[in-house]
Amino acid sequence: MLKLGLAGEQFKVVEGSLVNYDFPQTEDLSIQGVKNSRVSFQILLQSDEEFLLTVSANPVFDKRGPVNILRAEVTLPGLTPELCLVGLMEDDDRKLKADPLLHQETIAVPAWRKQAVWVEAKLPENVPCGEYQGKVRVLSHAMFADEALAGELTFTVKVHNVTLPKPTGRRFYLDLWQHCANIARKHEVTLWSAEHFRILEGYVVSLAALGQKAVTVIASEIPWSGQRTYQDRNADADLYEYSMIRLRRDKEGIFHYDYSALDRYIQLCFQHGIDREIEIFGLCNIWLGPEAGFHCRPALLDDIRLRYFDEATGGYRFIRESSQIEAYIQALESHFRRLGLLEKVRIVADEPADSELYQERLAWLRETAPGFLYKAAINHIELLGKQPEKLVDYVPQFPFLCLYSQRLPELRSKISGRFLYYVCCGPDHPNTFLRSPLAEARLIPILAAYMELDGFLRWNYTVWPDHPRERIVYRPEAWPAGDTNFVYPAPSGKPILTLRYKALERGIEDFELLQSVKERCANWRQIHQRYYSLVLKEQDLRLYHPDCGKRADELYSLQETDYEQARLLLISALEKV
């Protein structure tokens, strides 16, 4: 017997969960949409017999023989729906949970397992407003038998007369750090080769579609010391980050700097609209590991690791003299000035643990290259109050903002640049782990709007362990599954998007709608308050701190219907003006 149902985009199949095995809807589904956006939902199938599911009109036979073959199709006159299968990934609790939006057209489904199909239709700027009636059909056959209708459901899409800016023009400041070296490793291509850049473009396009604003540049060798994977001697992960700049010292002792890979990557990102910021890692707050040999120059203020080819010896060496490090940094500053990009550059420190030492390093860098500006991801809140010179962009971790939530307006007024927030391996909620409800990924931009911040940062776009298509679990005691990635690598070279990616994208749209209401509606405060009352069960951010021990469902809604009702409130207000 086949069960067929429809669910919203925030539904997540969890194998073995009785709650998730209830079909949430089997009748008409009504979906609201705006222009320059998308409408999405999921088809859910479950049978007491194994079957092969396809979302393509291409012929397919099951390698196991005469297994029942189901074909899902969606018709939506006036729009172009696309279907893709939703894959399952093993979580830390060993349960399979829905996440990747697979590129493959068919999948074998065991008996009693629920299988989801993601359905999405783009709504371009010129799409006519109005209602669109859609139909889902599932057809069945085995071997050479004729297809027969196995199930049919209907749905409605309403396109409202509201237009979002295109992703590159949206106000939400998204900063997902890029890890180009890991992309090269997982796709088995040579670092900075033409093939590497061909693959990188697919990832850049996926980031641009979210509205990414910053280009990640690595300007020295392994500034994070490979996330210290050396602490796990049997680690199933290679996370080393390599410089985009090649150095050479000629026989006369003169250094030459090759910026070709750096410039090409920046140009690639700019070409796709990622052009607000160039964030540079590797010049400040290098992560150390002296007990394992990860300390190149013990006598200097910071452990900037610069590898160069020495023509005199015919071998590679590392710079150890401060004057040569300073010359390198000054040359990099001059390079960005020549390109006319210096005002976009930020030298980034990731979680400086020692506030005084960090300020010493900043002072040295300011003296060495006075044209640079600085940014920090902060997990020690005292830096917010010290305001070092030229540290313009601040990105505190979410729990610290909870502690200081009553002072956010005051702190914001003192910051000359951007004020974002981040989550990483903590807090437990809200977050974007594989185990996290999809509502939390959607909530993250909404919280940025609620706190009146500029946006959100995360470290994890492609920091996969080895063999990520097989298993994403790695260091679960520190990094819950999904902490290291928003997408997966595909054999084609293009990224495999995820349900978490889509939920974050939807939240960014909600942020944009909130800003539009604020700009265009005289009664925006009342509208915002009604919006937040639907989404946030607790509006005192101090209660969101992990020490308060509140469950996620005590702090905010996990129900997609609440988010959609809140979104419709904003859409309706904008339609009136």
Side-chain angles (χ1 to χ4, degrees):
M1 181 186 71
L2 174 68
K3 288 184 69 175
L4 178 64
L6 302 180
E9 59 186 50
Q10 288 176 214
F11 185 83
K12 181 189 287 191
V13 171
V14 177
E15 189 174 46
S17 168
L18 294 177
V19 172
N20 276 281
Y21 268 72
D22 295 331
F23 275 68
Q25 185 154 355
T26 57
E27 299 178 359
D28 286 356
L29 184 68
S30 180
I31 310 168
Q32 312 297 317
V34 298
K35 301 179 181 184
N36 274 341
S37 178
R38 57 173 169 81
V39 288
S40 311
F41 66 95
Q42 297 180 70
I43 306 168
L44 303 173
L45 304 96
Q46 185 185 37
S47 174
D48 57 355
E49 297 179 345
E50 64 180 359
F51 62 91
L52 186 72
L53 176 64
T54 181
V55 292
S56 167
N58 293 325
V60 59
F61 286 84
D62 195 299
K63 62 185 180 182
R64 296 166 293 180
V67 172
N68 199 29
I69 297 173
L70 303 181
R71 179 172 66 87
E73 66 174 21
V74 176
T75 54
L76 186 57
L79 298 174
T80 307
E82 297 181 357
L83 282 66
C84 71
L85 300 164
V86 181
L88 299 172
M89 293 297 296
E90 183 183 306
D91 202 350
D92 300 323
D93 60 5
R94 305 193 74 116
K95 290 183 180 178
L96 297 176
K97 296 174 185 175
D99 195 37
L101 301 178
L102 303 173
H103 294 175
Q104 67 200 55
E105 296 178 340
T106 63
I107 191 168
V109 183
W112 301 111
R113 174 178 290 175
K114 183 179 292 182
Q115 176 61 47
V117 177
W118 180 266
V119 182
E120 177 172 313
K122 303 293 184 187
L123 301 179
E125 192 170 0
N126 60 352
V127 63
C129 298
E131 288 195 354
Y132 297 77
Q133 302 297 322
K135 183 181 293 184
V136 173
R137 295 203 312 158
V138 175
L139 299 108
S140 171
H141 83 284
M143 298 303 291
F144 306 106
D146 296 336
E147 281 190 331
L149 184 65
E152 182 176 279
L153 295 171
T154 58
F155 64 95
T156 302
V157 170
K158 183 175 181 180
V159 180
H160 293 267
N161 190 24
V162 172
T163 304
L164 286 170
K166 293 181 179 178
T168 53
R170 292 178 187 169
R171 284 156 286 199
F172 187 75
Y173 202 89
L174 181 65
D175 182 8
L176 303 180
W177 292 349
Q178 299 112 63
H179 199 316
C180 297
N182 209 32
I183 291 173
R185 273 192 297 271
K186 298 307 180 287
H187 288 281
E188 299 181 2
V189 296
T190 301
L191 191 64
W192 314 129
S193 64
E195 186 67 5
H196 185 201
F197 275 99
R198 180 191 69 79
I199 291 169
L200 282 175
E201 184 165 17
Y203 289 88
V204 168
V205 167
S206 70
L207 283 164
L210 285 176
Q212 171 76 12
K213 300 294 188 285
V215 182
T216 301
V217 167
I218 309 297
S220 71
E221 305 301 342
I222 61 171
W224 285 280
S225 293
Q227 295 291 336
R228 302 190 178 106
T229 55
Y230 58 81
Q231 294 173 344
D232 313 314
R233 295 307 296 265
N234 298 316
D236 196 20
D238 177 355
L239 302 179
Y240 289 121
E241 330 76 10
Y242 296 110
S243 178
M244 293 180 172
I245 303 165
R246 303 290 175 88
L247 283 69
R248 174 177 60 88
R249 187 182 189 184
D250 64 26
K251 293 181 179 179
E252 285 70 41
I254 298 172
F255 280 93
H256 303 266
Y257 312 114
D258 180 359
Y259 302 111
S260 56
L262 167 74
D263 293 349
R264 185 172 178 180
Y265 186 64
I266 292 172
Q267 183 182 17
L268 175 63
C269 292
F270 278 29
Q271 174 188 333
H272 291 284
I274 303 174
D275 58 5
R276 299 277 189 89
E277 176 188 341
I278 301 167
E279 54 187 5
I280 299 181
F281 294 90
L283 300 184
C284 188
N285 199 58
I286 309 304
W287 288 22
L288 303 178
E291 74 286 354
F294 284 80
H295 206 342
C296 186
R297 296 169 301 99
L300 300 181
L301 191 63
D302 211 343
D303 198 33
I304 300 170
R305 300 144 181 177
L306 299 177
R307 180 177 182 259
Y308 67 94
F309 181 74
D310 189 352
E311 291 185 348
T313 64
Y316 285 94
R317 308 179 71 180
F318 283 86
I319 291 179
R320 287 177 170 80
E321 295 181 20
S322 292
S323 60
Q324 294 171 348
I325 299 278
E326 292 166 358
Y328 170 79
I329 294 171
Q330 291 163 353
L332 187 59
E333 178 193 30
S334 297
H335 180 70
F336 282 117
R337 184 178 284 110
R338 283 194 302 272
L339 294 176
L341 298 176
L342 190 58
E343 74 283 354
K344 294 180 183 287
V345 173
R346 299 291 186 271
I347 308 300
V348 186
D350 184 10
E351 298 187 340
D354 185 327
S355 145
E356 298 301 325
L357 178 58
Y358 175 52
Q359 291 186 80
E360 287 182 47
R361 289 166 172 169
L362 283 182
W364 172 69
L365 284 165
R366 288 196 302 268
E367 183 178 350
T368 301
F372 283 138
L373 297 175
Y374 299 87
K375 170 180 173 181
I378 299 168
N379 65 348
H380 288 71
I381 201 68
E382 62 268 16
L383 270 177
L384 274 175
K386 295 194 175 178
Q387 304 284 312
E389 183 184 350
K390 291 199 174 185
L391 177 57
V392 295
D393 295 343
Y394 289 75
V395 192
Q397 193 176 15
F398 180 64
F400 296 108
L401 291 180
C402 297
L403 285 175
Y404 287 80
S405 59
Q406 304 300 303
R407 293 182 54 204
L408 281 181
E410 172 198 345
L411 293 171
R412 184 70 183 90
S413 67
K414 295 179 179 179
I415 293 172
S416 60
R418 303 178 186 98
F419 196 8
L420 288 73
Y421 82 103
Y422 77 96
V423 298
C424 53
C425 48
D428 186 60
H429 54 265
N431 219 305
T432 62
F433 306 136
L434 188 56
R435 71 184 183 218
S436 304
L438 291 172
E440 293 188 2
R442 182 171 184 172
L443 180 71
I444 278 171
I446 296 170
L447 283 173
Y450 183 69
M451 294 184 287
E452 298 186 350
L453 304 183
D454 297 310
F456 173 71
L457 176 152
R458 216 180 190 294
W459 72 294
N460 71 323
Y461 201 62
T462 60
V463 197
W464 312 291
D466 296 345
H467 316 296
R469 290 288 304 281
E470 300 169 17
R471 194 166 187 264
I472 203 64
V473 172
Y474 175 66
R475 280 184 172 173
E477 70 286 352
W479 296 343
D483 189 27
T484 61
N485 71 305
F486 268 123
V487 297
Y488 296 87
S492 65
K494 292 184 178 180
I496 295 172
L497 305 184
T498 62
L499 293 174
R500 292 175 292 132
Y501 173 105
K502 294 292 184 179
L504 179 65
E505 180 183 45
R506 189 63 87 197
I508 291 169
E509 291 185 355
D510 294 340
F511 179 98
E512 205 65 33
L513 290 169
L514 283 161
Q515 302 310 310
S516 295
V517 166
K518 185 175 182 178
E519 290 176 355
R520 300 176 59 191
C521 299
N523 62 334
W524 68 268
R525 286 186 176 85
Q526 293 93 325
I527 298 169
H528 276 204
Q529 183 55 45
R530 288 168 60 198
Y531 176 92
Y532 291 126
S533 68
L534 288 167
V535 174
L536 303 180
K537 294 182 179 180
E538 294 286 357
Q539 297 193 22
D540 184 347
L541 287 173
R542 290 173 294 185
L543 299 175
Y544 286 64
H545 194 279
D547 288 351
C548 290
K550 292 276 189 178
R551 298 192 315 270
D553 61 356
E554 294 177 309
L555 297 170
Y556 41 81
S557 173
L558 299 177
Q559 302 302 315
E560 184 173 2
T561 51
D562 290 335
Y563 288 85
E564 288 304 302
Q565 184 182 349
R567 181 184 178 89
L568 187 57
L569 175 71
L570 303 178
I571 293 170
S572 300
L574 290 170
E575 279 190 306
K576 291 176 183 178
V577 296

